[in-house]
Amino acid sequence: LKMTKGPFPELVVFDLDACFWDQEMYTLSKIPDESNIVTGDLNGRGEGVVGVMSGRSRISLHKGSLLALQSHHDKKYPNTKVCFASSADTPQAERIGRAALKLLEVVPGTTVWDLVVGRDWDGEDVNQIGRQPPLSANKSATHFPILRELTRVRYDRMLFFDDCQWGDHCGQVERACKERETGNGPVTIRTPFGLGAEEWAEGLNKYAKKFQALDGSDNYDIKKR
């Protein structure tokens, strides 16, 4: 896969169910804990937690998700941070999702939660997971405006991945979440079969091409406002 040299997004936003990982939280019933982990090879980085069981269902990251977070862990994307925007159907689904994020590992000894919440946001949980007020089923109306306020990252510095199987969240976010002075919003990628390595590379390349075109230069400064 040919990866771009940048510029890279300041914020990568992942949907969870059927995008970042392979399960739909609303179909599960048990909140996983450390007794429910499944260990295995973490993409050649050693043995760690590759799955968690919720009842009889195993929750695992899609290949592109693990690749993305391992590269992020290795600081390959300067100035990039990560968070999640999920319209999990019920409070129980939300709890299951957060529990899984705290158990699944990126590299041995570092969970998704450690990396995203601990390192990126200094322990602050900026993730927007669920659809209970103030959230809703419409990510463009609630999740993204809240993320814009909490993270202070402009919409046009975001890259968003969503499976879009239960509604066109990517299209809604593109249409509704735009910076007033530029009219530009997040770059979005649909992942109807889950986030693969190809979709991850596509997202980075699409983001870089968009901003090189807008800037008219290959030397676009990602810190520009």
Side-chain angles (χ1 to χ4, degrees):
L1 292 171
K2 187 176 181 181
M3 288 287 193
T4 179
K5 294 180 180 178
F8 299 108
E10 292 183 20
L11 183 64
V12 177
V13 185
F14 295 108
D15 170 48
L16 288 174
D17 293 0
C19 175
F20 185 72
W21 53 38
D22 56 2
Q23 294 288 343
E24 297 272 7
M25 296 300 103
Y26 79 91
T27 67
L28 308 178
S29 58
K30 186 178 184 299
I31 299 173
D33 59 33
E34 290 183 358
S35 68
N36 305 123
I37 63 173
V38 179
T39 58
D41 177 64
L42 284 167
N43 198 27
R45 302 291 290 268
E47 185 164 295
V49 180
V50 297
V52 293
M53 302 300 296
S54 174
R56 295 182 179 180
S57 299
R58 172 175 160 169
I59 307 165
S60 296
L61 301 189
H62 279 297
K63 184 177 179 180
S65 306
L66 182 58
L67 173 66
L69 289 196
Q70 286 183 337
S71 296
H72 181 49
H73 172 270
D74 296 341
K75 300 184 178 180
K76 291 185 178 179
Y77 313 122
N79 304 306
T80 296
K81 293 183 178 183
V82 170
C83 70
F84 301 102
S86 166
S87 52
D89 294 62
T90 64
Q92 178 76 348
E94 180 184 338
R95 286 190 285 269
I96 292 171
R98 278 198 160 85
L101 291 171
K102 293 175 182 178
L103 294 168
L104 290 163
E105 290 185 332
V106 177
V107 295
T110 299
T111 67
V112 175
W113 194 268
D114 292 337
L115 178 62
V116 173
V117 177
R119 193 183 86 179
D120 283 1
W121 303 105
D122 297 321
E124 181 184 359
D125 181 8
V126 303
N127 302 298
Q128 300 303 305
I129 302 173
R131 59 178 64 189
Q132 314 304 311
L135 298 178
S136 70
N138 185 340
K139 296 180 186 181
S140 69
T142 53
H143 297 62
F144 272 81
I146 293 172
L147 284 174
R148 175 70 174 82
E149 183 177 346
L150 286 178
T151 67
R152 299 179 183 269
V153 175
R154 295 166 54 101
Y155 289 132
D156 55 13
R157 300 295 185 270
M158 297 181 185
L159 172 60
F160 175 43
F161 295 87
D162 195 294
D163 65 283
C164 294
Q165 294 187 77
W166 301 99
D168 187 11
H169 292 296
C170 286
Q172 291 171 353
V173 167
E174 282 181 349
R175 289 188 295 271
C177 301
K178 296 180 179 181
E179 290 298 321
R180 209 174 305 169
E181 72 274 22
T182 66
N184 294 317
V187 169
T188 70
I189 298 290
R190 294 168 178 82
T191 62
F193 304 106
L195 180 57
E198 295 80 9
E199 288 82 9
W200 173 241
E202 179 190 356
L204 292 179
N205 289 328
K206 184 177 177 182
Y207 181 92
K209 286 177 182 177
K210 178 178 178 181
F211 283 97
Q212 286 169 3
L214 289 173
D215 186 61
S217 166
D218 287 343
N219 298 315
Y220 180 83
D221 182 358
I222 199 168
K223 293 181 181 179
K224 271 188 178 179
R225 287 293 185 274

